[in-house]
Amino acid sequence: MKKQFAVIGLGRFGGSICRSLSEQGMEVLAIDTDEEKINIYSSVVTHAVVADGADEAALRSLGIRNFDHVIVAIGDNIQASILTTLILDELGVKHITVKAQNDYHERVLNKIGAHKVVHPERDMGVRIAHNIVSKNVLDYLELSKDYSIVELIVGDRMNNKTLVELNIRAKYGVNIMAIKRDGVINVSPYATEKILKGDILIVIGAVLDINKLEDALFDKD
Protein backbone atom coordinates (compact mmCIF):
# COMPACT_ATOMS: atom_id res chain seq x y z
CA MET A 1 0.00 0.00 0.00
CA LYS A 2 1.08 3.57 -0.64
CA LYS A 3 2.11 5.50 2.43
CA GLN A 4 -0.06 8.43 3.36
CA PHE A 5 1.57 11.76 4.17
CA ALA A 6 0.12 15.04 5.40
CA VAL A 7 2.00 18.32 4.98
CA ILE A 8 0.90 21.26 7.13
CA GLY A 9 2.15 24.59 5.77
CA LEU A 10 2.74 25.26 2.08
CA GLY A 11 5.66 27.66 2.03
CA ARG A 12 8.76 26.88 -0.03
CA PHE A 13 9.77 23.97 2.21
CA GLY A 14 6.31 22.45 2.57
CA GLY A 15 5.57 22.93 -1.11
CA SER A 16 8.80 21.19 -2.17
CA ILE A 17 8.01 18.28 0.17
CA CYS A 18 4.54 17.95 -1.42
CA ARG A 19 5.97 17.92 -4.94
CA SER A 20 8.70 15.41 -4.10
CA LEU A 21 6.36 12.99 -2.31
CA SER A 22 3.79 13.22 -5.12
CA GLU A 23 6.46 12.57 -7.76
CA GLN A 24 7.36 9.40 -5.82
CA GLY A 25 3.76 8.23 -6.09
CA MET A 26 2.77 8.83 -2.46
CA GLU A 27 -0.65 9.91 -1.27
CA VAL A 28 -0.35 13.45 0.06
CA LEU A 29 -2.76 15.68 1.96
CA ALA A 30 -1.73 19.36 1.85
CA ILE A 31 -3.04 21.68 4.58
CA ASP A 32 -2.74 25.46 4.80
CA THR A 33 -4.80 28.42 5.97
CA ASP A 34 -4.12 30.25 2.70
CA GLU A 35 -6.70 29.33 0.05
CA GLU A 36 -4.47 30.64 -2.74
CA LYS A 37 -1.73 28.18 -1.80
CA ILE A 38 -4.26 25.36 -1.58
CA ASN A 39 -5.45 26.17 -5.09
CA ILE A 40 -1.85 26.03 -6.36
CA TYR A 41 -1.17 22.59 -4.86
CA SER A 42 -4.57 21.02 -5.44
CA SER A 43 -3.34 19.72 -8.81
CA VAL A 44 -0.07 18.46 -7.34
CA VAL A 45 -1.20 16.42 -4.31
CA THR A 46 -3.93 13.84 -3.68
CA HIS A 47 -5.99 16.22 -1.52
CA ALA A 48 -5.54 19.88 -0.55
CA VAL A 49 -7.58 21.45 2.26
CA VAL A 50 -7.92 24.93 3.74
CA ALA A 51 -7.52 24.35 7.48
CA ASP A 52 -5.61 25.55 10.53
CA GLY A 53 -3.01 23.06 11.71
CA ALA A 54 -3.40 24.42 15.23
CA ASP A 55 -7.12 23.62 15.25
CA GLU A 56 -7.54 20.23 16.93
CA ALA A 57 -11.11 19.77 15.72
CA ALA A 58 -10.08 20.43 12.11
CA LEU A 59 -7.25 17.90 12.31
CA ARG A 60 -9.55 15.30 13.87
CA SER A 61 -12.11 15.80 11.11
CA LEU A 62 -9.36 15.17 8.52
CA GLY A 63 -8.46 11.87 10.20
CA ILE A 64 -4.90 13.09 10.72
CA ARG A 65 -4.05 10.31 13.20
CA ASN A 66 -4.48 7.73 10.41
CA PHE A 67 -1.64 9.18 8.32
CA ASP A 68 1.70 7.37 8.31
CA HIS A 69 3.70 10.59 8.55
CA VAL A 70 2.84 14.23 9.16
CA ILE A 71 5.26 17.03 8.25
CA VAL A 72 4.79 20.36 10.02
CA ALA A 73 6.30 22.91 7.63
CA ILE A 74 4.80 26.06 9.13
CA GLY A 75 6.93 29.11 8.30
CA ASP A 76 7.67 31.91 10.75
CA ASN A 77 4.87 31.32 13.26
CA ILE A 78 6.74 29.40 15.96
CA GLN A 79 3.72 29.38 18.27
CA ALA A 80 1.53 27.74 15.61
CA SER A 81 4.29 25.21 14.86
CA ILE A 82 4.57 24.25 18.53
CA LEU A 83 0.82 24.03 19.08
CA THR A 84 0.32 21.94 15.93
CA THR A 85 3.09 19.53 16.98
CA LEU A 86 1.58 19.20 20.45
CA ILE A 87 -1.86 18.43 19.01
CA LEU A 88 -0.45 15.85 16.58
CA ASP A 89 1.36 14.09 19.42
CA GLU A 90 -1.78 14.06 21.58
CA LEU A 91 -3.80 12.66 18.68
CA GLY A 92 -1.32 9.78 18.40
CA VAL A 93 0.23 10.49 15.00
CA LYS A 94 2.82 7.77 14.35
CA HIS A 95 5.58 9.93 12.88
CA ILE A 96 5.94 13.71 13.13
CA THR A 97 8.64 15.71 11.34
CA VAL A 98 8.80 19.44 12.09
CA LYS A 99 10.67 22.34 10.53
CA ALA A 100 12.50 24.38 13.18
CA GLN A 101 13.39 28.06 12.99
CA ASN A 102 16.28 27.89 15.47
CA ASP A 103 17.91 25.71 18.14
CA TYR A 104 15.57 26.91 20.89
CA HIS A 105 12.56 26.02 18.74
CA GLU A 106 14.10 22.57 18.14
CA ARG A 107 14.55 21.94 21.88
CA VAL A 108 10.89 22.75 22.51
CA LEU A 109 9.73 20.56 19.61
CA ASN A 110 11.74 17.61 20.88
CA LYS A 111 10.13 17.93 24.31
CA ILE A 112 6.55 18.04 23.04
CA GLY A 113 6.49 15.07 20.69
CA ALA A 114 8.35 15.75 17.43
CA HIS A 115 10.04 12.56 16.21
CA LYS A 116 12.37 14.40 13.83
CA VAL A 117 13.31 18.07 13.61
CA VAL A 118 14.85 19.61 10.50
CA HIS A 119 16.53 22.94 9.78
CA PRO A 120 16.18 23.23 5.98
CA GLU A 121 17.81 26.66 5.67
CA ARG A 122 20.71 25.78 7.97
CA ASP A 123 21.24 22.36 6.39
CA MET A 124 21.22 23.84 2.89
CA GLY A 125 23.72 26.45 4.08
CA VAL A 126 26.06 23.69 5.29
CA ARG A 127 25.82 21.92 1.92
CA ILE A 128 26.47 25.09 -0.05
CA ALA A 129 29.43 26.01 2.16
CA HIS A 130 31.06 22.63 1.55
CA ASN A 131 30.49 22.92 -2.19
CA ILE A 132 32.10 26.38 -2.20
CA VAL A 133 35.11 25.37 -0.11
CA SER A 134 35.96 22.18 -2.00
CA LYS A 135 35.66 21.45 -5.70
CA ASN A 136 35.67 17.73 -4.83
CA VAL A 137 32.41 17.87 -2.86
CA LEU A 138 29.33 17.50 -5.05
CA ASP A 139 26.86 16.95 -2.21
CA TYR A 140 26.94 16.91 1.57
CA LEU A 141 24.43 15.44 4.02
CA GLU A 142 24.96 16.13 7.72
CA LEU A 143 23.84 13.08 9.74
CA SER A 144 24.83 14.64 13.06
CA LYS A 145 27.32 17.17 14.42
CA ASP A 146 30.14 14.67 13.86
CA TYR A 147 29.06 12.36 11.01
CA SER A 148 28.20 13.00 7.37
CA ILE A 149 27.60 11.40 3.98
CA VAL A 150 29.57 13.11 1.20
CA GLU A 151 29.74 12.75 -2.58
CA LEU A 152 33.34 13.23 -3.76
CA ILE A 153 34.47 13.41 -7.36
CA VAL A 154 37.59 11.38 -8.23
CA GLY A 155 40.55 13.18 -9.78
CA ASP A 156 43.98 12.11 -11.04
CA ARG A 157 45.39 10.97 -7.69
CA MET A 158 42.99 8.03 -7.36
CA ASN A 159 42.56 7.23 -11.04
CA ASN A 160 42.82 3.57 -12.06
CA LYS A 161 43.44 2.30 -8.50
CA THR A 162 41.41 -0.38 -6.76
CA LEU A 163 39.73 0.06 -3.39
CA VAL A 164 42.03 -2.56 -1.89
CA GLU A 165 45.08 -0.64 -3.14
CA LEU A 166 43.81 2.60 -1.63
CA ASN A 167 42.86 0.84 1.65
CA ILE A 168 40.59 3.76 2.52
CA ARG A 169 38.70 2.21 5.44
CA ALA A 170 41.84 1.12 7.29
CA LYS A 171 43.79 4.33 6.63
CA TYR A 172 41.08 6.94 7.10
CA GLY A 173 38.23 5.24 8.98
CA VAL A 174 35.54 6.01 6.40
CA ASN A 175 33.42 3.66 4.30
CA ILE A 176 32.77 3.80 0.55
CA MET A 177 29.02 3.19 0.33
CA ALA A 178 28.82 3.33 -3.45
CA ILE A 179 30.52 4.39 -6.68
CA LYS A 180 28.54 6.40 -9.21
CA ARG A 181 29.71 6.21 -12.84
CA ASP A 182 27.86 7.49 -15.91
CA GLY A 183 24.63 7.70 -13.94
CA VAL A 184 24.88 4.08 -12.69
CA ILE A 185 25.34 3.47 -8.95
CA ASN A 186 27.40 0.49 -7.78
CA VAL A 187 26.35 -0.11 -4.17
CA SER A 188 28.81 -1.89 -1.83
CA PRO A 189 31.54 -2.23 -4.48
CA TYR A 190 34.07 -5.08 -4.29
CA ALA A 191 37.55 -4.35 -2.97
CA THR A 192 38.93 -5.17 -6.45
CA GLU A 193 36.79 -2.47 -8.07
CA LYS A 194 38.89 0.09 -9.95
CA ILE A 195 38.14 3.77 -9.45
CA LEU A 196 38.36 6.02 -12.50
CA LYS A 197 38.74 9.76 -12.87
CA GLY A 198 35.29 11.36 -12.91
CA ASP A 199 33.72 8.67 -10.72
CA ILE A 200 31.70 9.89 -7.75
CA LEU A 201 32.39 8.20 -4.42
CA ILE A 202 29.58 8.21 -1.86
CA VAL A 203 31.41 8.20 1.47
CA ILE A 204 30.12 7.92 5.05
CA GLY A 205 32.12 8.62 8.18
CA ALA A 206 33.22 11.11 10.80
CA VAL A 207 33.65 14.63 9.43
CA LEU A 208 37.29 14.78 10.59
CA ASP A 209 38.07 11.46 8.88
CA ILE A 210 36.39 12.54 5.64
CA ASN A 211 38.48 15.72 5.71
CA LYS A 212 41.66 13.63 6.13
CA LEU A 213 40.67 11.44 3.18
CA GLU A 214 40.06 14.48 1.02
CA ASP A 215 43.38 16.07 1.99
CA ALA A 216 45.28 12.84 1.23
CA LEU A 217 43.70 11.53 -1.95
CA PHE A 218 41.76 14.27 -3.72
CA ASP A 219 43.09 16.96 -6.03
CA LYS A 220 43.52 20.35 -4.44
CA ASP A 221 43.52 22.55 -7.54
Side-chain angles (χ1 to χ4, degrees):
M1 290 177 62
K2 291 181 182 178
K3 283 193 174 182
Q4 293 184 314
F5 293 83
V7 179
I8 303 175
L10 297 177
R12 282 186 300 173
F13 176 64
S16 67
I17 292 280
C18 284
R19 290 186 187 280
S20 180
L21 289 171
S22 296
E23 286 168 2
Q24 294 175 66
M26 302 299 163
E27 292 189 8
V28 183
L29 168 65
I31 302 170
D32 200 284
T33 55
D34 188 333
E35 187 173 357
E36 188 176 337
K37 289 179 180 176
I38 290 298
N39 290 336
I40 291 170
Y41 286 95
S42 61
S43 61
V44 175
V45 299
T46 315
H47 302 288
V49 179
V50 177
D52 184 353
D55 182 340
E56 183 175 348
L59 293 182
R60 281 184 183 276
S61 69
L62 292 169
I64 203 76
R65 70 185 305 273
N66 298 318
F67 282 77
D68 297 296
H69 198 143
V70 179
I71 299 97
V72 181
I74 295 171
D76 297 328
N77 192 335
I78 290 178
Q79 182 175 328
S81 167
I82 290 170
L83 184 55
T84 301
T85 304
L86 187 60
I87 292 169
L88 293 172
D89 180 56
E90 290 179 346
L91 290 176
V93 173
K94 288 171 280 192
H95 200 103
I96 307 165
T97 294
V98 190
K99 172 187 174 182
Q101 299 297 322
N102 51 51
D103 291 339
Y104 173 74
H105 188 195
E106 178 179 8
R107 289 201 297 272
V108 174
L109 292 170
N110 285 326
K111 287 180 182 295
I112 63 171
H115 300 117
K116 182 176 177 62
V117 178
V118 296
H119 295 259
E121 288 85 2
R122 183 193 69 184
D123 295 345
M124 183 55 71
V126 169
R127 294 169 78 173
I128 291 170
H130 278 83
N131 289 341
I132 291 170
V133 168
S134 173
K135 73 175 187 117
N136 302 310
V137 177
L138 295 183
D139 204 355
Y140 187 97
L141 176 62
E142 190 177 46
L143 298 176
S144 70
K145 185 168 65 73
D146 299 315
Y147 288 86
S148 296
I149 296 174
V150 183
E151 288 190 357
L152 296 164
I153 187 163
V154 174
D156 292 319
R157 296 164 77 181
M158 299 175 71
N159 184 43
N160 213 32
K161 293 183 179 178
T162 64
L163 292 176
V164 70
E165 285 178 297
L166 294 166
N167 203 16
I168 288 172
R169 184 175 181 181
K171 287 184 177 179
Y172 307 103
V174 303
N175 288 304
I176 306 297
M177 297 171 59
I179 300 172
K180 194 186 296 184
R181 180 181 299 157
D182 298 327
V184 178
I185 298 179
N186 177 5
V187 180
S188 300
Y190 291 114
T192 53
E193 182 76 29
K194 277 195 175 183
I195 298 173
L196 304 177
K197 184 176 180 179
D199 285 354
I200 297 167
L201 301 187
I202 302 173
V203 177
I204 185 170
V207 174
L208 291 176
D209 291 335
I210 292 172
N211 290 342
K212 288 176 186 174
L213 168 66
E214 192 179 351
D215 287 342
L217 294 178
F218 286 84
D219 300 331
K220 300 293 194 303
D221 302 320

